Coordinates of all heavy atoms in Angstrom, one line a residue:
M1 N 92.9 133.9 75.9 CA 93.9 132.8 75.5 C 93.1 131.5 75.3 O 92.4 131.1 76.2 CB 94.9 132.7 76.6 CG 96.0 131.7 76.3 SD 97.2 131.4 77.6 CE 97.7 133.1 78.1
P2 N 93.3 130.8 74.2 CA 92.6 129.6 74.0 C 93.0 128.5 74.9 O 94.1 128.4 75.3 CB 93.0 129.2 72.5 CG 93.9 130.3 72.0 CD 94.2 131.2 73.1
H3 N 92.0 127.7 75.3 CA 92.2 126.6 76.3 C 92.9 125.4 75.6 O 93.4 124.5 76.3 CB 90.9 126.2 76.9 CG 90.4 127.2 77.9 ND1 91.0 127.5 79.1 CD2 89.4 128.0 77.7 CE1 90.3 128.5 79.7 NE2 89.3 128.8 78.9
D4 N 92.8 125.3 74.3 CA 93.3 124.1 73.6 C 94.7 124.3 73.1 O 95.3 123.3 72.5 CB 92.4 123.7 72.4 CG 92.2 124.8 71.4 OD1 92.7 126.0 71.6 OD2 91.6 124.6 70.4
K5 N 95.3 125.4 73.3 CA 96.7 125.6 72.9 C 97.6 124.8 73.8 O 97.4 124.7 75.0 CB 97.1 127.1 73.0 CG 98.5 127.4 72.6 CD 98.8 128.8 72.6 CE 100.3 129.2 72.3 NZ 100.7 128.8 71.0
E6 N 98.6 124.1 73.3 CA 99.5 123.2 74.0 C 100.9 123.9 74.1 O 101.3 124.6 73.2 CB 99.7 121.9 73.4 CG 98.4 121.0 73.5 CD 98.6 119.6 73.1 OE1 99.8 119.2 72.8 OE2 97.6 118.9 73.1
Y7 N 101.5 123.7 75.3 CA 102.8 124.3 75.5 C 103.8 123.2 75.8 O 103.5 122.1 76.4 CB 102.8 125.2 76.7 CG 101.9 126.5 76.5 CD1 100.6 126.4 76.7 CD2 102.5 127.6 76.0 CE1 99.8 127.6 76.5 CE2 101.7 128.7 75.7 CZ 100.4 128.7 76.0 OH 99.6 129.8 75.7
V8 N 105.1 123.4 75.5 CA 106.2 122.6 75.9 C 107.0 123.4 76.9 O 107.5 124.5 76.6 CB 107.0 122.2 74.6 CG1 108.3 121.4 75.1 CG2 106.2 121.4 73.6
I9 N 107.1 122.8 78.1 CA 107.9 123.5 79.1 C 109.0 122.5 79.6 O 108.7 121.3 79.9 CB 106.9 123.8 80.3 CG1 105.8 124.8 79.8 CG2 107.7 124.4 81.5 CD1 104.7 125.0 80.8
R10 N 110.2 123.0 79.7 CA 111.3 122.2 80.1 C 111.7 122.5 81.6 O 111.8 123.7 81.9 CB 112.5 122.4 79.2 CG 112.3 122.0 77.8 CD 113.5 122.2 77.0 NE 113.3 121.8 75.6 CZ 113.3 120.6 75.1 NH1 113.6 119.6 75.9 NH2 113.0 120.3 73.8
L11 N 111.8 121.5 82.4 CA 112.2 121.6 83.8 C 113.2 120.6 84.1 O 113.2 119.5 83.5 CB 111.0 121.5 84.7 CG 109.8 122.4 84.6 CD1 108.7 121.9 85.4 CD2 110.3 123.8 85.1
N12 N 114.1 120.9 85.1 CA 115.0 119.8 85.5 C 114.2 118.9 86.4 O 113.1 119.2 86.8 CB 116.3 120.3 86.2 CG 116.0 121.1 87.5 OD1 115.2 120.7 88.3 ND2 116.8 122.1 87.7
G13 N 114.8 117.7 86.8 CA 114.0 116.7 87.6 C 113.6 117.2 88.9 O 112.5 116.9 89.4
L14 N 114.4 118.0 89.6 CA 114.1 118.6 90.9 C 112.9 119.5 90.8 O 111.9 119.4 91.6 CB 115.3 119.3 91.5 CG 115.0 119.9 92.9 CD1 114.6 118.9 93.9 CD2 116.2 120.7 93.3
D15 N 112.9 120.4 89.8 CA 111.8 121.3 89.6 C 110.5 120.6 89.2 O 109.4 121.0 89.7 CB 112.1 122.4 88.6 CG 113.2 123.4 89.0 OD1 113.5 123.4 90.3 OD2 113.8 124.1 88.2
L16 N 110.6 119.6 88.4 CA 109.5 118.8 88.0 C 108.9 118.1 89.2 O 107.6 118.1 89.4 CB 109.8 117.8 86.9 CG 108.7 116.9 86.5 CD1 107.5 117.7 85.9 CD2 109.2 115.9 85.4
G17 N 109.7 117.6 90.1 CA 109.2 117.0 91.3 C 108.5 117.9 92.2 O 107.5 117.6 92.8
Q18 N 109.0 119.1 92.3 CA 108.4 120.2 93.1 C 107.0 120.6 92.5 O 106.0 120.7 93.2 CB 109.2 121.4 93.2 CG 110.5 121.2 94.0 CD 110.2 120.9 95.5 OE1 109.4 121.6 96.1 NE2 110.8 119.9 96.0
L19 N 106.9 120.7 91.2 CA 105.7 121.0 90.5 C 104.7 119.9 90.7 O 103.5 120.2 91.1 CB 105.9 121.1 89.0 CG 104.7 121.3 88.1 CD1 104.0 122.6 88.4 CD2 105.1 121.2 86.7
I20 N 105.1 118.6 90.6 CA 104.2 117.5 90.9 C 103.7 117.5 92.3 O 102.5 117.3 92.6 CB 104.9 116.2 90.5 CG1 105.0 116.1 89.0 CG2 104.1 115.0 91.1 CD1 106.0 115.0 88.5
D21 N 104.6 117.7 93.3 CA 104.2 117.8 94.7 C 103.2 118.9 94.9 O 102.2 118.7 95.7 CB 105.4 118.1 95.6 CG 106.3 116.8 95.8 OD1 105.9 115.7 95.4 OD2 107.4 117.0 96.3
G22 N 103.4 120.0 94.3 CA 102.5 121.2 94.5 C 101.1 120.8 93.9 O 100.1 121.1 94.5
L23 N 101.0 120.2 92.7 CA 99.8 119.9 92.2 C 99.0 118.8 93.0 O 97.8 118.8 93.1 CB 100.0 119.4 90.7 CG 100.4 120.5 89.7 CD1 100.8 119.9 88.4 CD2 99.2 121.5 89.5
E24 N 99.8 117.9 93.5 CA 99.2 116.8 94.4 C 98.6 117.5 95.6 O 97.5 117.1 96.1 CB 100.2 115.8 94.7 CG 100.6 114.9 93.6 CD 101.7 113.9 93.9 OE1 102.5 114.2 94.8 OE2 101.9 112.9 93.2
A25 N 99.3 118.4 96.2 CA 98.8 119.1 97.4 C 97.5 119.9 97.1 O 96.6 119.9 97.9 CB 99.9 120.1 97.9
R26 N 97.5 120.5 95.9 CA 96.2 121.2 95.6 C 95.1 120.3 95.3 O 94.0 120.5 95.8 CB 96.5 122.1 94.3 CG 97.5 123.1 94.4 CD 97.3 124.1 95.6 NE 96.0 124.8 95.4 CZ 95.1 125.1 96.4 NH1 95.4 124.8 97.6 NH2 94.0 125.6 96.1
A27 N 95.3 119.2 94.7 CA 94.3 118.2 94.4 C 93.8 117.6 95.8 O 92.6 117.5 96.0 CB 94.8 117.0 93.5
D28 N 94.7 117.3 96.7 CA 94.3 116.8 98.0 C 93.5 117.9 98.8 O 92.5 117.5 99.4 CB 95.6 116.5 98.9 CG 96.3 115.2 98.4 OD1 95.7 114.4 97.6 OD2 97.4 115.0 98.8
A29 N 93.9 119.1 98.7 CA 93.1 120.2 99.4 C 91.7 120.2 98.9 O 90.7 120.4 99.7 CB 93.8 121.5 99.2
W30 N 91.5 120.2 97.6 CA 90.2 120.2 97.0 C 89.4 118.9 97.3 O 88.2 119.0 97.6 CB 90.2 120.5 95.5 CG 90.5 122.0 95.3 CD1 91.7 122.5 94.9 CD2 89.6 123.0 95.4 NE1 91.5 123.9 94.8 CE2 90.3 124.2 95.1 CE3 88.3 123.1 95.8 CZ2 89.7 125.5 95.2 CZ3 87.7 124.4 95.9 CH2 88.4 125.5 95.6
R31 N 90.1 117.8 97.3 CA 89.4 116.5 97.6 C 88.9 116.6 99.1 O 87.8 116.2 99.4 CB 90.4 115.4 97.4 CG 89.7 114.1 97.2 CD 90.7 113.0 96.8 NE 91.6 113.3 95.7 CZ 92.9 113.6 95.8 NH1 93.5 113.5 97.0 NH2 93.6 113.8 94.7
L32 N 89.8 117.1 100.0 CA 89.4 117.2 101.4 C 88.3 118.2 101.6 O 87.4 118.0 102.5 CB 90.6 117.5 102.3 CG 91.6 116.3 102.4 CD1 92.9 116.8 103.1 CD2 91.0 115.2 103.1
T33 N 88.3 119.3 100.8 CA 87.2 120.2 100.9 C 85.9 119.6 100.5 O 84.9 119.8 101.2 CB 87.5 121.4 100.0 OG1 88.7 122.1 100.5 CG2 86.4 122.4 99.9
A34 N 85.9 118.8 99.5 CA 84.7 118.1 99.1 C 84.2 117.2 100.2 O 83.0 117.2 100.5 CB 84.9 117.3 97.8
I35 N 85.1 116.5 100.8 CA 84.7 115.6 101.9 C 84.1 116.4 103.1 O 83.1 116.1 103.7 CB 85.9 114.8 102.4 CG1 86.2 113.7 101.3 CG2 85.6 114.1 103.7 CD1 87.6 113.0 101.5
Y36 N 84.8 117.5 103.4 CA 84.3 118.4 104.5 C 82.9 118.9 104.2 O 82.0 118.9 105.0 CB 85.2 119.6 104.7 CG 84.7 120.6 105.6 CD1 84.7 120.4 107.0 CD2 84.1 121.8 105.1 CE1 84.1 121.3 107.8 CE2 83.5 122.7 106.0 CZ 83.5 122.5 107.3 OH 83.0 123.4 108.2
L37 N 82.7 119.4 102.9 CA 81.4 119.9 102.6 C 80.3 118.9 102.6 O 79.1 119.2 102.8 CB 81.4 120.6 101.2 CG 82.2 121.9 101.1 CD1 82.4 122.3 99.7 CD2 81.6 123.0 102.0
E38 N 80.6 117.6 102.4 CA 79.7 116.5 102.4 C 79.4 116.0 103.9 O 78.3 115.7 104.2 CB 80.2 115.3 101.6 CG 80.1 115.6 100.1 CD 80.8 114.5 99.3 OE1 81.5 113.6 99.9 OE2 80.5 114.5 98.1
T39 N 80.5 116.0 104.7 CA 80.3 115.3 106.0 C 80.5 116.3 107.2 O 80.1 115.9 108.3 CB 81.4 114.3 106.2 OG1 82.7 114.9 106.2 CG2 81.4 113.2 105.0
G40 N 81.1 117.5 106.9 CA 81.3 118.4 108.0 C 82.5 118.1 108.8 O 82.8 118.7 109.8
E41 N 83.3 117.0 108.4 CA 84.5 116.6 109.1 C 85.7 116.9 108.3 O 85.7 116.7 107.1 CB 84.4 115.1 109.5 CG 83.2 114.8 110.4 CD 83.2 113.3 110.7 OE1 84.1 112.6 110.4 OE2 82.1 112.9 111.2
A42 N 86.8 117.3 108.9 CA 88.0 117.5 108.2 C 89.2 117.2 109.2 O 89.1 117.2 110.4 CB 88.1 119.0 107.8
P43 N 90.3 116.8 108.6 CA 91.5 116.5 109.4 C 91.9 117.8 110.2 O 91.6 118.9 109.8 CB 92.6 116.1 108.4 CG 91.9 115.9 107.1 CD 90.6 116.6 107.2
N44 N 92.7 117.6 111.3 CA 93.2 118.7 112.0 C 94.1 119.5 111.1 O 94.8 119.0 110.2 CB 94.0 118.2 113.2 CG 93.2 117.5 114.3 OD1 92.0 117.7 114.3 ND2 93.8 116.7 115.1
D45 N 94.1 120.8 111.4 CA 94.9 121.8 110.7 C 94.6 121.9 109.2 O 95.5 122.3 108.4 CB 96.4 121.5 110.9 CG 96.9 121.5 112.3 OD1 96.3 122.3 113.1 OD2 97.8 120.8 112.7
F46 N 93.4 121.5 108.8 CA 93.0 121.6 107.4 C 92.2 122.8 107.2 O 91.3 123.2 107.9 CB 92.2 120.3 107.0 CG 91.6 120.4 105.7 CD1 92.4 120.4 104.5 CD2 90.2 120.6 105.5 CE1 91.8 120.5 103.3 CE2 89.7 120.7 104.2 CZ 90.5 120.7 103.1
V47 N 92.6 123.6 106.2 CA 91.9 124.8 105.8 C 91.1 124.5 104.5 O 91.7 124.1 103.5 CB 92.9 126.0 105.6 CG1 92.1 127.2 105.1 CG2 93.7 126.2 106.8
I48 N 89.8 124.6 104.6 CA 89.0 124.3 103.4 C 89.2 125.4 102.3 O 89.4 126.6 102.6 CB 87.5 124.1 103.7 CG1 86.8 125.4 104.2 CG2 87.3 123.0 104.7 CD1 85.3 125.4 104.2
E49 N 89.1 125.0 101.1 CA 89.1 125.9 100.0 C 87.8 126.6 99.8 O 86.8 126.1 100.3 CB 89.4 125.1 98.7 CG 90.8 124.4 98.7 CD 92.0 125.3 98.8 OE1 91.9 126.4 98.3 OE2 92.9 124.9 99.5
E50 N 87.8 127.7 99.2 CA 86.6 128.5 99.1 C 85.8 128.1 97.9 O 86.2 128.2 96.7 CB 87.0 130.0 98.9 CG 85.8 130.9 99.1 CD 86.2 132.4 99.1 OE1 87.2 132.7 99.8 OE2 85.5 133.2 98.5
C51 N 84.7 127.5 98.1 CA 83.7 127.1 97.1 C 82.4 126.9 97.7 O 82.2 126.8 98.9 CB 84.2 125.9 96.3 SG 84.1 124.4 97.2
S52 N 81.3 126.7 96.9 CA 80.0 126.7 97.4 C 79.4 125.3 97.7 O 78.5 125.1 98.5 CB 79.1 127.4 96.4 OG 79.1 126.8 95.2
E53 N 80.0 124.3 97.0 CA 79.4 122.9 97.2 C 80.5 121.9 96.9 O 81.5 122.1 96.2 CB 78.2 122.7 96.3 CG 78.5 122.9 94.8 CD 77.2 122.8 94.0 OE1 76.1 123.3 94.5 OE2 77.3 122.3 92.9
A54 N 80.2 120.7 97.4 CA 81.1 119.6 97.3 C 81.4 119.2 95.9 O 82.5 118.9 95.5 CB 80.6 118.4 98.1
E55 N 80.4 119.2 95.0 CA 80.6 118.9 93.6 C 81.6 119.8 92.9 O 82.4 119.4 92.1 CB 79.2 118.9 92.9 CG 79.3 118.4 91.4 CD 79.9 117.0 91.2 OE1 79.7 116.2 92.1 OE2 80.5 116.8 90.2
E56 N 81.5 121.1 93.2 CA 82.4 122.0 92.7 C 83.9 121.7 93.1 O 84.8 121.7 92.3 CB 82.1 123.5 93.1 CG 83.1 124.5 92.6 CD 82.8 125.9 93.1 OE1 81.9 126.0 94.0 OE2 83.5 126.8 92.7
A57 N 84.0 121.4 94.4 CA 85.3 121.0 94.9 C 85.9 119.7 94.3 O 87.0 119.6 93.9 CB 85.3 120.9 96.4
R58 N 85.0 118.8 94.1 CA 85.4 117.5 93.4 C 85.8 117.7 92.0 O 86.8 117.2 91.5 CB 84.2 116.5 93.5 CG 84.5 115.2 94.2 CD 83.4 114.2 94.1 NE 82.0 114.6 94.0 CZ 81.3 115.0 95.1 NH1 81.8 115.0 96.3 NH2 80.1 115.4 94.9
Q59 N 85.1 118.6 91.3 CA 85.5 118.9 89.9 C 86.8 119.6 89.8 O 87.6 119.3 88.9 CB 84.4 119.8 89.2 CG 83.1 119.0 88.9 CD 82.0 119.9 88.4 OE1 82.2 121.1 88.3 NE2 80.9 119.3 88.0
I60 N 87.1 120.5 90.8 CA 88.4 121.1 90.8 C 89.5 120.1 91.1 O 90.6 120.1 90.5 CB 88.4 122.3 91.7 CG1 87.4 123.4 91.2 CG2 89.8 122.9 91.9 CD1 87.2 124.5 92.2
A61 N 89.3 119.3 92.1 CA 90.2 118.2 92.4 C 90.5 117.3 91.2 O 91.7 117.0 90.9 CB 89.7 117.4 93.6
E62 N 89.5 117.0 90.5 CA 89.6 116.1 89.3 C 90.4 116.8 88.2 O 91.2 116.2 87.4 CB 88.2 115.7 88.7 CG 87.6 114.7 89.6 CD 86.1 114.4 89.3 OE1 85.6 115.0 88.3 OE2 85.5 113.6 90.0
H63 N 90.2 118.2 88.1 CA 91.0 118.9 87.1 C 92.5 118.9 87.4 O 93.3 118.6 86.5 CB 90.5 120.4 87.1 CG 91.1 121.2 86.0 ND1 91.0 122.5 85.9 CD2 91.9 120.8 84.9 CE1 91.6 123.0 84.8 NE2 92.2 122.0 84.2
Y64 N 92.8 119.1 88.7 CA 94.2 118.9 89.1 C 94.7 117.5 88.8 O 95.9 117.3 88.4 CB 94.4 119.2 90.6 CG 94.5 120.7 90.9 CD1 93.5 121.4 91.4 CD2 95.7 121.4 90.6 CE1 93.6 122.8 91.7 CE2 95.8 122.8 90.9 CZ 94.8 123.4 91.4 OH 94.9 124.8 91.7
E65 N 93.9 116.5 89.1 CA 94.3 115.1 88.8 C 94.6 114.9 87.3 O 95.5 114.1 87.0 CB 93.3 114.2 89.4 CG 93.3 114.2 90.9 CD 92.1 113.6 91.6 OE1 91.2 113.1 90.8 OE2 92.1 113.5 92.8
R66 N 93.8 115.5 86.5 CA 94.0 115.3 85.0 C 95.3 116.0 84.6 O 96.1 115.4 83.8 CB 92.8 116.0 84.2 CG 91.6 115.1 84.2 CD 90.6 115.6 83.1 NE 90.2 117.0 83.3 CZ 89.2 117.4 84.2 NH1 88.5 116.5 84.9 NH2 88.9 118.6 84.3
I67 N 95.6 117.1 85.2 CA 96.9 117.8 84.9 C 98.0 116.9 85.3 O 99.0 116.7 84.6 CB 96.9 119.2 85.5 CG1 95.9 120.1 85.0 CG2 98.3 119.8 85.4 CD1 95.7 121.4 85.8
L68 N 97.9 116.4 86.5 CA 99.0 115.5 87.1 C 99.1 114.3 86.2 O 100.3 113.9 85.9 CB 98.6 115.1 88.5 CG 99.0 116.0 89.6 CD1 98.3 115.7 90.9 CD2 100.5 115.9 89.8
G69 N 98.0 113.7 85.8 CA 98.1 112.5 84.9 C 98.8 112.8 83.6 O 99.7 112.0 83.2
T70 N 98.6 113.9 83.0 CA 99.2 114.3 81.8 C 100.7 114.5 82.0 O 101.6 113.9 81.3 CB 98.6 115.6 81.2 OG1 97.3 115.4 80.9 CG2 99.4 116.0 80.0
I71 N 101.1 115.2 83.1 CA 102.5 115.4 83.4 C 103.2 114.1 83.7 O 104.3 113.8 83.2 CB 102.7 116.4 84.6 CG1 102.2 117.8 84.1 CG2 104.1 116.4 85.1 CD1 102.1 118.8 85.2
L72 N 102.6 113.2 84.5 CA 103.2 112.0 84.9 C 103.4 111.0 83.7 O 104.4 110.3 83.6 CB 102.4 111.3 86.0 CG 102.5 112.1 87.4 CD1 101.6 111.4 88.4 CD2 103.9 112.1 87.9
Q73 N 102.4 111.1 82.8 CA 102.5 110.2 81.6 C 103.7 110.7 80.7 O 104.5 109.9 80.3 CB 101.2 110.3 80.8 CG 101.3 109.5 79.5 CD 100.0 109.6 78.7 OE1 99.0 110.3 79.1 NE2 100.0 109.0 77.5
Q74 N 103.8 112.0 80.5 CA 104.9 112.5 79.7 C 106.2 112.2 80.4 O 107.2 111.9 79.7 CB 104.7 114.0 79.5 CG 103.5 114.3 78.6 CD 103.3 115.8 78.3 OE1 104.2 116.6 78.4 NE2 102.1 116.1 78.0
K75 N 106.3 112.4 81.7 CA 107.5 112.1 82.4 C 107.9 110.6 82.3 O 109.1 110.3 82.0 CB 107.4 112.4 83.9 CG 108.6 112.1 84.8 CD 108.4 112.3 86.2 CE 109.6 112.1 87.1 NZ 110.1 110.7 87.0
A76 N 107.0 109.7 82.4 CA 107.2 108.3 82.3 C 107.7 108.0 80.8 O 108.7 107.2 80.7 CB 106.0 107.5 82.6
E77 N 107.1 108.6 79.8 CA 107.6 108.4 78.5 C 109.0 108.8 78.3 O 109.8 108.2 77.6 CB 106.6 109.1 77.5 CG 105.2 108.5 77.4 CD 104.3 109.4 76.7 OE1 104.6 110.5 76.2 OE2 103.1 108.9 76.6
Q78 N 109.4 109.9 78.9 CA 110.7 110.4 78.7 C 111.7 109.7 79.6 O 112.9 109.5 79.2 CB 110.8 111.9 79.1 CG 110.0 112.8 78.1 CD 110.0 114.2 78.4 OE1 111.0 114.8 78.7 NE2 108.8 114.8 78.4
D79 N 111.3 109.1 80.7 CA 112.2 108.3 81.6 C 112.6 107.1 80.8 O 113.7 106.6 81.1 CB 111.5 108.0 82.9 CG 111.4 109.1 83.9 OD1 112.1 110.2 83.7 OD2 110.6 109.0 84.8
H80 N 111.7 106.5 80.0 CA 112.0 105.3 79.3 C 112.6 105.5 77.9 O 112.9 104.5 77.2 CB 110.7 104.4 79.2 CG 110.2 104.0 80.5 ND1 110.9 103.8 81.6 CD2 108.9 103.7 80.9 CE1 110.2 103.5 82.6 NE2 108.9 103.4 82.2
A81 N 112.8 106.7 77.5 CA 113.3 107.0 76.2 C 114.8 107.0 76.2 O 115.5 107.1 77.2 CB 112.8 108.4 75.7

């Protein structure tokens, strides 16, 4: 499946909020994993994601953040329409 294909997905506000919350949680998990791999310290009850190095974890967190940015931008545009 090509990576450049774009999709239009319709969700109600509640479902969109849940999607955004889930993506934020994933980005946070990867961001905290990067910090753990760099410092050896993590918050209580935190489970690190499986990866080999902090840079990989940071790149995955950034990918989630890009997805979130795209969704939030489109939401804002539709909220003001």
Side-chain angles (χ1 to χ4, degrees):
M1 183 182 312
H3 292 288
D4 58 352
K5 182 174 175 65
E6 290 189 6
Y7 293 88
V8 174
I9 298 171
R10 295 184 183 276
L11 298 171
N12 66 37
L14 179 61
D15 291 345
L16 179 58
Q18 292 296 312
L19 174 67
I20 290 168
D21 285 348
L23 290 171
E24 287 173 341
R26 299 302 303 142
D28 287 344
W30 282 105
R31 202 173 309 108
L32 290 171
T33 295
I35 292 169
Y36 170 78
L37 291 171
E38 290 173 343
T39 66
E41 297 179 15
N44 291 341
D45 299 329
F46 171 69
V47 178
I48 66 167
E49 299 296 325
E50 191 172 321
C51 70
S52 58
E53 58 185 35
E55 182 59 29
E56 178 186 7
R58 239 186 328 279
Q59 288 175 355
I60 294 170
E62 289 169 1
H63 188 189
Y64 277 104
E65 290 164 357
R66 281 192 303 276
I67 295 168
L68 274 164
T70 299
I71 291 170
L72 292 172
Q73 177 183 358
Q74 290 178 27
K75 180 184 180 302
E77 290 168 0
Q78 293 178 47
D79 285 345
H80 296 333

